[in-house]
Amino acid sequence: MRNLFFALLMLAVVQIGPLRLASAHPHVWVDALAFMGFDEGRLTTIRMQWAFDEFFSEILFQDFDWNDNGQFDEDELAAMRQGAFEGLGEVNFFTDFRIGGEQVSWDGARDFGVAVSEDGRTVAYSFTLDVPGAPDPYTDAISLSIYDPEFYVELNFIDDEPLRFRDLPGGACGYSFVEATDNPIYFGLVTPIRAEILCEEVTG
C-alpha cells in the first residue's frame, strides 16, 4: 500500500462484492475536469477537479468526517491530504501530460481542496499541478490524459467542456480526443483517451 488512499481503495474492492467485480475491473470511478492556466501565453498550471462516485465518497466520509457534519473541517482536510492524496504522487497523480510526446513528472501538487456536492452524496478533490518548463502552446505539441495504470480507478473527463482555458489573451485553444494507442495500460487491454491540445493566435 502506498498510503491510505490505496488502503481505502482496497476496502472498496472488498466491499463492492463479487457481482460488480465480475462486470468491470475498476472499483472507483472519477469524473474529471481540467483547467489549463496560462501566464504570458505560456501554459504554467493544470488545475484538476475529480468527483468520486458515491460509494468511494462514502468511504471518505467514514474515514475523515470525524464529527459527522457532512463536511471536512480543517483538521479533517489535513488528514485526508496526508493520508489519502499525497501518496498519489507516486503514480503521477493519474495525470499524464506530455510535451512533444514526452511525459512530464510532477514535482508534487499544491492547493489541495475538497468539496462536497449540494446533495451531500459525493466528494471531489481539487489540486494544482505546475507544468515544468511552461511550454508554448502555439509551437509545442501538448496533450493530456488521465488514467490509473493498474486500472483500479477509472478516470473519465466530464462531457461538458472537460478542458477549460484560463488567462489566454490574444489566443484560442481547443482540443480533440484520440485513443492513446501508443500507451496501452492494464496489460495492454485498455487504451486511455488522450486530449491533444491545439492553440492558435487570434489576430484582427
Side-chain angles (χ1 to χ4, degrees):
M1 298 294 177
R2 296 181 181 92
N3 69 349
L4 185 54
F5 179 90
F6 295 93
L8 296 174
L9 178 58
M10 291 302 101
L11 178 62
V13 170
V14 171
Q15 293 186 2
I16 205 166
L19 181 61
R20 197 167 180 183
L21 288 177
S23 62
H25 180 83
H27 313 305
V28 176
W29 286 262
V30 172
D31 291 326
L33 169 63
F35 293 92
M36 318 297 286
F38 294 82
D39 184 12
E40 297 184 352
R42 297 271 181 163
L43 179 60
T44 56
T45 62
I46 301 176
R47 179 73 177 171
M48 298 297 302
Q49 292 184 1
W50 294 352
F52 292 105
D53 63 271
E54 290 184 15
F55 184 82
F56 192 71
S57 295
E58 180 59 29
I59 292 176
L60 292 174
F61 279 122
Q62 290 174 2
D63 283 80
F64 295 104
D65 182 19
W66 303 327
N67 58 9
D68 294 321
N69 69 346
Q71 298 292 326
F72 297 99
D73 302 329
E74 185 175 348
D75 55 340
E76 297 167 342
L77 182 62
M80 184 183 293
R81 175 180 180 122
Q82 182 178 9
F85 175 71
E86 289 183 348
L88 293 176
E90 297 182 24
V91 287
N92 225 28
F93 298 100
F94 296 150
T95 303
D96 183 340
F97 181 75
R98 301 191 178 212
I99 305 172
E102 296 295 323
Q103 183 179 6
V104 306
S105 295
W106 304 111
D107 186 20
R110 59 181 174 86
D111 300 332
F112 175 70
V114 175
V116 176
S117 62
E118 290 185 4
D119 61 11
R121 300 172 66 177
T122 58
V123 175
Y125 282 179
S126 59
F127 56 94
T128 298
L129 301 167
D130 291 313
V131 179
D136 184 340
Y138 304 111
T139 60
D140 296 323
I142 56 178
S143 65
L144 176 67
S145 53
I146 50 174
Y147 57 84
D148 170 13
E150 297 181 355
F151 205 45
Y152 287 111
V153 181
E154 182 172 330
L155 298 100
N156 295 296
F157 286 113
I158 64 171
D159 293 331
D160 184 20
E161 295 185 82
L163 274 68
R164 304 179 188 183
F165 303 94
R166 292 173 163 173
D167 302 319
L168 188 62
C173 289
Y175 53 89
S176 59
F177 287 115
V178 300
E179 292 188 345
T181 55
D182 60 332
N183 186 38
I185 62 173
Y186 193 50
F187 308 106
L189 298 176
V190 177
T191 302
I193 298 299
R194 174 180 294 153
E196 295 184 340
I197 301 166
L198 177 64
C199 298
E200 298 180 349
E201 293 189 36
V202 177
T203 58

